[in-house]
Structure formats: C-alpha cells, structure tokens
Amino acid sequence: MKTPTLGIIFTMEFFYCESGIYYHLQYEQPKKEISFADFELLTQQFNQTNQKYMIIYDHLLALTKDKWDALPTQIDLNYLELYYQMGIFSEEDYMKYRLLYSEKNSHL
C-alpha cells in the first residue's frame, strides 16, 4: 500500500521521547534507544545543516489517542500511518484507529 507519509519519512529524521528516554526512529525498524547527549548532538548537527527532524513525545501521543477515541472523525490518516510505520503504534493500535476512522467517515 502506498501511503502519503512515505515522502516525509525519507526526508526527515524522527525521534521519540518516552518517559525521558530518547529513540531514533527509522522506517519500519525497531526503535533505537539513544542517550540524551547523542540526541542533542544529532539535533545540533541537523540544525547546522538545515536537516528537518521531528520529535514525538509520549504525552502528546497519549493526548492524540484520547482525541481520536473521543472524535474518530478527527483521525488523521497521515499521522496514523506515520506512527505505525515508525514503530510507535502497535498493529493493534493501528487497526483500531483505521477501523474507527472507516466507521465514522464512511457516511461523509
């Protein structure tokens, strides 16, 4: 399946912070834990070279899930695909939100 997020995945670097632990994310790979010092060094290098990166924090992800549970019409398939492909969402989460999205948006 071709997804709309593939372009962003290959042009940006992604980091995930969960309970103060940083991970460097790569497309369809397991999360790779990195030290905070490595995270700072990488982001400084990216800033110097104008390389784009995104930091995803666990508490914001939890809020996103809460919002999607309460308002399935607000599910953003681009972010859903991104979180799944980068290993942040489990297959169970992914299927749950795809189903909610399909059910609530089928009449639109």
Side-chain angles (χ1 to χ4, degrees):
M1 167 172 69
K2 183 178 179 191
T3 62
T5 55
L6 283 179
I8 205 171
I9 288 172
F10 295 123
T11 61
M12 293 183 75
E13 295 288 332
F14 292 89
F15 298 95
Y16 178 57
C17 181
E18 182 177 49
S19 301
I21 299 170
Y22 286 84
Y23 299 91
H24 192 186
L25 305 177
Q26 294 183 343
Y27 178 65
E28 294 186 342
Q29 298 292 318
K31 296 183 290 191
K32 178 183 172 190
E33 185 176 339
I34 60 172
S35 68
F36 182 72
D38 287 342
F39 166 76
E40 282 187 314
L41 181 64
L42 286 169
T43 55
Q44 286 173 358
Q45 290 172 351
F46 296 151
N47 286 332
Q48 290 172 353
T49 60
N50 292 322
Q51 170 69 32
K52 294 181 181 183
Y53 61 91
M54 179 185 285
I55 307 166
I56 304 165
Y57 292 95
D58 57 345
H59 59 279
L60 294 176
L61 197 61
L63 290 173
T64 298
K65 285 181 173 184
D66 289 345
K67 177 183 173 183
W68 289 355
D69 285 332
L71 301 166
T73 57
Q74 298 294 308
I75 294 172
D76 185 323
L77 291 181
N78 289 327
Y79 280 102
L80 178 60
E81 293 287 340
L82 175 70
Y83 297 153
Y84 177 65
Q85 291 171 357
M86 299 308 279
I88 300 172
F89 271 10
S90 67
E91 186 171 353
E92 181 180 333
D93 285 335
Y94 176 75
M95 295 307 293
K96 170 187 172 182
Y97 292 112
R98 285 292 288 189
L99 181 61
L100 279 173
Y101 178 85
S102 296
E103 289 174 349
K104 295 300 178 181
N105 289 292
S106 62
H107 68 282
L108 297 177

